[in-house]
Amino acid sequence: MSLAVQRVLTATLLFAVATHAGTTLAQTTLSATREQSPSAYPSSGNQTPSFFPLAPGFSLTPQALFDFKDSDIKFKLETLMNILRDSKHESWVLAAYPDPKTGRPLIGAGFNLDVSATQHIQTNPLNPHLFIEPSTSDLWQDAGLDLARLQSILDQFDRDMKTWQKKKFRRKIRTHQLTPEITEQEATNLLRISTLEAIHNARAYCDDFDHLTASQQMALSQLVYQMGVNLEEFVEFLSAINDQSSYRDLAQAQGSIQDGGYWKTVQRTLIESDWARRYTSRAVTVIAMFDSDYDKEPKEAEREVRTQIHPLVAHHRKKPHAQAVRVSNGSHAN
């Protein structure tokens, strides 16, 4: 039996075992869940999703699955958490507040308060790592918080939304008028478990995750944190990031050992996305981290990406100047 055939058979067996394990897990763990919150990020809509909400009463419990060790990643977990806590990326609000796009309840660094467990199928036969999309209640409990408090916060959020609507809600956030509903430590615990989920799923998205640089691992984890399952629809990006071995084989055949061109291709798939044009400041930081030389010259990597992104421009019709209005009215009077 040839080596190529052996590799295909091995990959197929791993995929079958992984799929069976994910299905078994989804069918054996019970939990109450709420409706899935839609993502605030634009999707391409050019792929059939490989994820779907689980039937009521089922969830994916994270306790045994997020068995994280510092050696699992090349970057420091605290570094990524500090980036996500920064107001330029997510926000840091200790009370429930509406997502700017969807209006659904968030807290802390964008922790979603009403997500149901989702079964997200691993469709890459070369990647043995399973996706995990737990419910809010699963993550909330894993962070050490009481479920009764979660329901109380959601009830208060619903009342506030009816009273204030999104616009007034956002104004209260900017002026720091919301009464804290969780502590700094509790918000940090929620951020940590959400970050671990993002890292876990980043590994499931990229079959060569362990060979990425520290910055590249962090960039991919940020994308998963920000987009969730909507990253599934960035088809060109996922295809490119999982094609590194083929690119390296071609480079070696041509006598080249540099893989900078490969990562430029990966970056290009994100630079040309609507996400990058809509959220330019955030996108520049993340996309630059995929540069193979980012750790040497981070500012230069960001500058290069920034020059390639053309933000969406909202065109607003200017109101006529008051004097022009008076002149116009006068001419009609004559």
Short mmCIF file of all heavy atoms in Angstrom, two decimals, residues 74 203 206-214 216-217 244 248 259 263:
data_model
loop_
_atom_site.label_atom_id
_atom_site.label_comp_id
_atom_site.label_asym_id
_atom_site.label_seq_id
_atom_site.Cartn_x
_atom_site.Cartn_y
_atom_site.Cartn_z
N LYS A 74 1.64 29.21 21.96
CA LYS A 74 2.95 29.85 21.98
C LYS A 74 2.91 31.26 22.56
O LYS A 74 3.96 31.84 22.84
CB LYS A 74 3.51 29.89 20.55
CG LYS A 74 3.79 28.51 19.97
CD LYS A 74 4.33 28.61 18.55
CE LYS A 74 4.59 27.23 17.97
NZ LYS A 74 5.07 27.29 16.57
N ARG A 203 -7.93 25.98 16.81
CA ARG A 203 -7.19 24.75 16.49
C ARG A 203 -8.01 23.85 15.57
O ARG A 203 -7.47 23.17 14.70
CB ARG A 203 -6.83 24.02 17.79
CG ARG A 203 -5.81 22.90 17.62
CD ARG A 203 -5.56 22.21 18.96
NE ARG A 203 -5.06 23.14 19.94
CZ ARG A 203 -3.79 23.47 20.07
NH1 ARG A 203 -2.89 22.92 19.28
NH2 ARG A 203 -3.40 24.33 21.00
N CYS A 206 -7.80 25.28 11.97
CA CYS A 206 -6.51 25.23 11.30
C CYS A 206 -5.79 23.93 11.65
O CYS A 206 -5.41 23.72 12.80
CB CYS A 206 -5.66 26.43 11.72
SG CYS A 206 -4.02 26.47 10.96
N ASP A 207 -5.59 23.06 10.67
CA ASP A 207 -4.98 21.76 10.96
C ASP A 207 -3.48 21.85 11.20
O ASP A 207 -2.85 20.86 11.56
CB ASP A 207 -5.30 20.74 9.86
CG ASP A 207 -4.95 21.24 8.47
OD1 ASP A 207 -4.05 22.10 8.38
OD2 ASP A 207 -5.55 20.78 7.49
N ASP A 208 -2.89 23.05 11.01
CA ASP A 208 -1.47 23.24 11.29
C ASP A 208 -1.26 24.27 12.40
O ASP A 208 -0.23 24.95 12.44
CB ASP A 208 -0.75 23.69 10.01
CG ASP A 208 0.74 23.35 10.03
OD1 ASP A 208 1.13 22.38 10.69
OD2 ASP A 208 1.52 24.07 9.38
N PHE A 209 -2.24 24.37 13.31
CA PHE A 209 -2.23 25.41 14.34
C PHE A 209 -0.94 25.39 15.16
O PHE A 209 -0.38 26.44 15.49
CB PHE A 209 -3.44 25.23 15.26
CG PHE A 209 -3.58 26.30 16.31
CD1 PHE A 209 -4.22 27.49 16.04
CD2 PHE A 209 -3.07 26.11 17.60
CE1 PHE A 209 -4.36 28.48 17.01
CE2 PHE A 209 -3.20 27.09 18.57
CZ PHE A 209 -3.85 28.27 18.27
N ASP A 210 -0.47 24.21 15.52
CA ASP A 210 0.71 24.10 16.39
C ASP A 210 1.97 24.65 15.74
O ASP A 210 2.93 24.99 16.43
CB ASP A 210 0.94 22.64 16.79
CG ASP A 210 -0.12 22.12 17.75
OD1 ASP A 210 -0.76 22.95 18.42
OD2 ASP A 210 -0.32 20.90 17.81
N HIS A 211 2.00 24.74 14.40
CA HIS A 211 3.18 25.23 13.71
C HIS A 211 3.09 26.72 13.38
O HIS A 211 4.03 27.29 12.81
CB HIS A 211 3.41 24.43 12.42
CG HIS A 211 3.82 23.01 12.67
ND1 HIS A 211 2.89 21.99 12.71
CD2 HIS A 211 5.02 22.45 12.91
CE1 HIS A 211 3.52 20.84 12.95
NE2 HIS A 211 4.80 21.10 13.08
N LEU A 212 1.98 27.37 13.72
CA LEU A 212 1.88 28.81 13.53
C LEU A 212 2.78 29.52 14.53
O LEU A 212 3.12 28.98 15.59
CB LEU A 212 0.44 29.28 13.74
CG LEU A 212 -0.65 28.68 12.84
CD1 LEU A 212 -1.99 29.31 13.18
CD2 LEU A 212 -0.32 28.88 11.37
N THR A 213 3.18 30.74 14.20
CA THR A 213 3.93 31.54 15.17
C THR A 213 3.00 31.98 16.30
O THR A 213 1.77 31.85 16.20
CB THR A 213 4.53 32.78 14.51
OG1 THR A 213 3.44 33.66 14.10
CG2 THR A 213 5.37 32.42 13.29
N ALA A 214 3.57 32.51 17.36
CA ALA A 214 2.76 32.98 18.49
C ALA A 214 1.76 34.04 18.03
O ALA A 214 0.59 34.02 18.42
CB ALA A 214 3.67 33.53 19.58
N GLN A 216 0.56 34.53 14.98
CA GLN A 216 -0.44 33.95 14.09
C GLN A 216 -1.48 33.15 14.87
O GLN A 216 -2.68 33.22 14.56
CB GLN A 216 0.26 33.07 13.05
CG GLN A 216 1.06 33.86 12.04
CD GLN A 216 2.04 33.01 11.25
OE1 GLN A 216 2.26 31.84 11.57
NE2 GLN A 216 2.64 33.59 10.22
N GLN A 217 -1.06 32.42 15.89
CA GLN A 217 -2.02 31.71 16.75
C GLN A 217 -2.95 32.71 17.43
O GLN A 217 -4.16 32.47 17.53
CB GLN A 217 -1.28 30.89 17.80
CG GLN A 217 -0.59 29.65 17.28
CD GLN A 217 0.01 28.82 18.38
OE1 GLN A 217 0.08 29.25 19.56
NE2 GLN A 217 0.44 27.62 18.07
N GLN A 244 -0.92 25.44 3.78
CA GLN A 244 0.49 25.80 3.96
C GLN A 244 1.43 24.68 3.53
O GLN A 244 2.48 24.93 2.93
CB GLN A 244 0.78 26.18 5.41
CG GLN A 244 2.19 26.70 5.63
CD GLN A 244 2.41 27.26 7.03
OE1 GLN A 244 1.56 27.10 7.89
NE2 GLN A 244 3.53 27.90 7.26
N ARG A 248 4.45 25.05 0.89
CA ARG A 248 5.84 24.77 1.22
C ARG A 248 6.45 23.74 0.28
O ARG A 248 7.61 23.84 -0.11
CB ARG A 248 5.94 24.30 2.67
CG ARG A 248 5.80 25.44 3.68
CD ARG A 248 5.82 24.91 5.10
NE ARG A 248 5.88 26.00 6.06
CZ ARG A 248 5.72 25.85 7.38
NH1 ARG A 248 5.49 24.63 7.87
NH2 ARG A 248 5.80 26.87 8.19
N ASP A 259 8.50 31.57 3.23
CA ASP A 259 7.06 31.39 3.18
C ASP A 259 6.32 32.71 3.37
O ASP A 259 5.14 32.72 3.68
CB ASP A 259 6.60 30.36 4.22
CG ASP A 259 6.87 30.81 5.64
OD1 ASP A 259 7.55 31.83 5.85
OD2 ASP A 259 6.38 30.14 6.57
N TRP A 263 1.97 33.75 3.44
CA TRP A 263 1.21 34.52 4.43
C TRP A 263 0.64 35.81 3.85
O TRP A 263 -0.38 36.30 4.33
CB TRP A 263 2.08 34.79 5.66
CG TRP A 263 2.30 33.53 6.44
CD1 TRP A 263 3.43 32.81 6.57
CD2 TRP A 263 1.29 32.81 7.16
NE1 TRP A 263 3.21 31.69 7.33
CE2 TRP A 263 1.91 31.66 7.70
CE3 TRP A 263 -0.07 33.03 7.39
CZ2 TRP A 263 1.20 30.73 8.46
CZ3 TRP A 263 -0.77 32.10 8.16
CH2 TRP A 263 -0.14 30.97 8.68
#
